[in-house]
Amino acid sequence: MTHRLHKTVAVVTTAVAMALTAGLPAVAGAPADGADLVALSVEAGELRLSFRSVGQTVTDPRKIRFTASGAPVGVVPGDPAFAFLGRPGAPVWSLQDGSPFSTFDTTAIAQGEVTLELASVEGPGAFAAYTLSEWGRPTLLLDSDGRRSTRLPAGKRVGGVVWLFDAAGEYRVTLRATSGTGARTLRDEAVYTVSVPAGVQAVPVEQAATATTTAGESTTAGKAAAAATSAPTATGRKIIVDGHVDMGPVLDGGKLTIRLKDDSTTPPTWRELADVTLKVTDKALIDVPSGAGYAFLGKAGDKVYLLPQSQQAGIVWPGWNTQHESVVKGTKGNVTWRLKQVSGPGRFKLFLTGSFGTPEVIFDSAKSLPQRLAIAPNTHAHGNWAFTKAGIYKLTVDMTATTTGGKSVSDTRTLTVAVGDSASTGDGAGSGQDGGGGSATDDNDGGDLAKTGTDVMSIAGGGALLLIAGTAVVVLARRRRSEPGHVSTLDPSK
């Protein structure tokens, strides 16, 4: 390539569609627990570079067509940390931005390290892939205008990998993997075909600060089939210290109930919030970085407990979803999630980290409550959950949806979070219901909104890539990207 890749701040959000080529079975649904864009394994003594779906189906990437966002996801920021991307202000398209597909998986490689090379890029523009740290700092992996290889440790999942293109059109990205096994060197390569459709212009970053979005402005061109989230309901109290959980609504007999989907069990189960305590250990303790962007967490160097947007081993990883089959089939429009009350020794913050490390605050207990978030149908998302002091927190939330029959249904529950090694979890019980659970009403109480830059922020289904057959699902909303993959973000060695 003769020109530099240009990158963007995520202002316009699109859910990314992936279509299987002819001859393969149709696959539908939004991945609930992540998928691996690059999955490496050794089979019959040969290295295999594959795509692995959330259902663990391994596919040759050459048999898949990936479709990127139909509109630029933003423009290159002026942040010097992203200077390697080229001129600030230029538009760029994303295959995915903080999605379950942004994963490089070497867990099937027993030892050593893997070299991943960008063998070639054919297309109208340039390509780059990079990761973000928990505070949004980039590590470049591959760049068609520069860095052509990166080393990945064996036995790891590297997540939060962003794939970007600087022009619309058709691309063929060829990746080559090399791994040493004993005296042998194993190699394999795969071609990723990516279609980047032309679309509307990106919103300049200076306009994004004053943009507002209402729930009605988040629309879908089609609805993907629900993921297999109709897991059984578990009983009994449980303290969850590690693994993946999601808060989300379930519709049963016309009654809406907020539950917690617990993926730390096999198979996953849905639990009553009253039966759950999330335990945040001191492994989550981290220093607030410098810079005005993170001042809402405290002064630079202050300690906070952070459950990050990307999964980290040994730390519970909470998210939210509207993927239960009953909700996908039985409701229409967005689900409104409100933070009504927070009790605890410190402050609670929930924020998203964009492609370029810029935080966007969703909930902040230091501001007036309630605050609310509109969640698009069939969405699975993650954010950064921050607690400023150790102790027991009670997060009282409600969720409201509209049934396909036009009736408004809602529920209010309380999630218990024990922060810090010293915080007692007692018998593991929360105080899950805060009165009026499962009530049905004819209208919604809008409540007051926190003054955090937008009145109602809408999380599109783009937080979880939609895996569909032949139907583009597009959700437009003003937000930062959610969940940079169900994996730990790693800084590969240079």
Side-chain angles (χ1 to χ4, degrees):
M1 295 292 172
T2 58
H3 56 288
R4 289 294 308 159
L5 175 74
H6 305 309
K7 240 179 202 160
T8 71
V9 171
V11 177
V12 178
T13 297
T14 56
V16 181
M18 189 192 82
L20 300 182
T21 58
L24 290 180
V27 180
D33 303 315
D36 300 311
L37 189 60
V38 174
L40 296 172
S41 61
V42 177
E43 301 175 12
E46 299 295 331
L47 188 65
R48 293 286 180 264
L49 198 165
S50 308
F51 167 80
R52 184 186 295 116
S53 73
V54 65
Q56 298 300 301
T57 300
V58 176
T59 307
D60 185 339
R62 289 174 293 186
K63 298 180 180 179
I64 302 173
R65 179 179 299 276
F66 298 90
T67 302
S69 53
V73 291
V75 295
V76 179
D79 187 342
F82 295 92
F84 64 89
L85 296 173
R87 177 176 58 85
V92 71
W93 287 256
S94 175
L95 173 59
Q96 78 293 304
D97 185 8
S99 74
F101 284 84
S102 52
T103 309
F104 290 172
D105 181 20
T106 65
T107 54
I109 307 299
Q111 59 185 1
E113 62 181 17
V114 175
T115 299
L116 188 66
E117 298 176 78
L118 181 60
S120 66
V121 175
E122 302 171 31
F127 158 79
Y130 68 99
T131 62
L132 292 170
S133 73
E134 54 201 349
W135 294 121
R137 296 296 82 192
T139 296
L140 182 63
L141 300 180
L142 300 169
D143 183 356
S144 61
D145 291 326
R147 181 172 183 149
R148 304 295 292 221
S149 69
T150 190
R151 293 195 300 273
L152 306 173
K156 301 290 185 181
R157 298 183 78 214
V158 178
V161 182
V162 183
W163 284 37
L164 290 178
F165 304 85
D166 71 349
E170 190 90 353
Y171 291 80
R172 286 171 54 86
V173 178
T174 302
L175 299 181
R176 180 184 300 124
T178 305
S179 176
T181 302
R184 296 185 60 198
T185 298
L186 307 181
R187 291 186 177 85
D188 193 24
E189 69 177 42
V191 178
Y192 290 77
T193 300
V194 181
S195 178
V196 181
V200 299
Q201 292 298 311
V203 179
V205 66
E206 59 269 17
Q207 296 179 19
T210 57
T212 60
T213 303
T214 66
E217 291 171 348
S218 179
T219 61
T220 58
K223 179 178 283 188
T229 54
S230 53
T233 300
T235 58
R237 294 172 178 173
K238 184 174 182 181
I239 300 169
I240 302 176
V241 181
D242 194 4
H244 173 231
V245 297
D246 284 325
M247 186 188 302
V250 176
L251 194 62
D252 186 8
K255 178 180 178 180
L256 193 75
T257 304
I258 303 171
R259 292 191 176 130
L260 195 78
K261 182 171 177 282
D262 179 8
D263 284 320
S264 68
T265 63
T266 304
T269 52
W270 288 87
R271 299 182 181 276
E272 300 292 341
L273 262 65
D275 293 338
V276 173
T277 296
L278 300 185
K279 175 66 173 178
V280 182
T281 69
D282 285 353
K283 291 181 180 179
L285 202 57
I286 196 168
D287 292 341
V288 174
S290 59
Y294 289 97
F296 66 94
L297 291 173
K299 297 178 181 178
D302 284 354
K303 299 288 185 180
V304 296
Y305 293 84
L306 184 72
L307 302 177
Q309 193 167 296
S310 280
Q311 188 175 18
Q312 290 188 4
I315 299 175
V316 65
W317 188 35
W320 56 94
N321 79 58
T322 55
Q323 289 185 310
H324 194 276
E325 186 177 13
S326 64
V327 173
V328 173
K329 293 182 177 180
T331 67
K332 59 183 180 181
N334 295 327
V335 173
T336 298
W337 176 23
R338 293 199 307 167
L339 178 66
K340 297 182 66 177
Q341 184 177 344
V342 176
S343 66
R347 302 294 188 181
F348 163 66
K349 324 274 184 171
L350 176 62
F351 65 97
L352 301 174
T353 302
S355 297
F356 300 95
T358 303
E360 180 173 357
V361 180
I362 304 299
F363 295 145
D364 186 347
S365 68
K367 298 181 180 293
S368 62
L369 298 175
Q371 298 160 19
R372 61 183 176 181
L373 175 70
I375 311 172
N378 203 17
T379 289
H380 179 200
H382 283 263
N384 303 282
W385 301 58
F387 302 86
T388 59
K389 293 182 180 179
I392 302 297
Y393 290 77
K394 304 283 188 178
L395 311 181
T396 301
V397 301
D398 68 23
M399 289 188 176
T400 302
T402 302
T403 67
T404 53
K407 190 173 187 178
S408 178
V409 290
S410 64
D411 188 26
T412 301
R413 303 276 161 168
T414 298
L415 178 65
T416 301
V417 185
V419 177
D421 287 352
S422 61
S424 173
T425 56
D427 58 4
S431 57
Q433 186 162 335
D434 193 316
S439 63
T441 60
D442 293 327
D443 56 87
N444 295 329
D445 174 17
D448 296 326
L449 302 179
K451 306 303 181 183
T452 57
T454 58
D455 290 332
V456 179
M457 287 169 284
S458 182
I459 294 297
L465 279 175
L466 302 182
L467 177 60
I468 66 174
T471 303
V473 179
V474 180
V475 182
L476 297 179
R478 205 289 269 179
R479 73 158 179 99
R480 302 289 181 212
R481 293 292 184 178
S482 60
E483 82 176 302
H486 292 190
V487 290
S488 299
T489 299
L490 211 72
D491 286 346
S493 55
K494 300 294 185 181

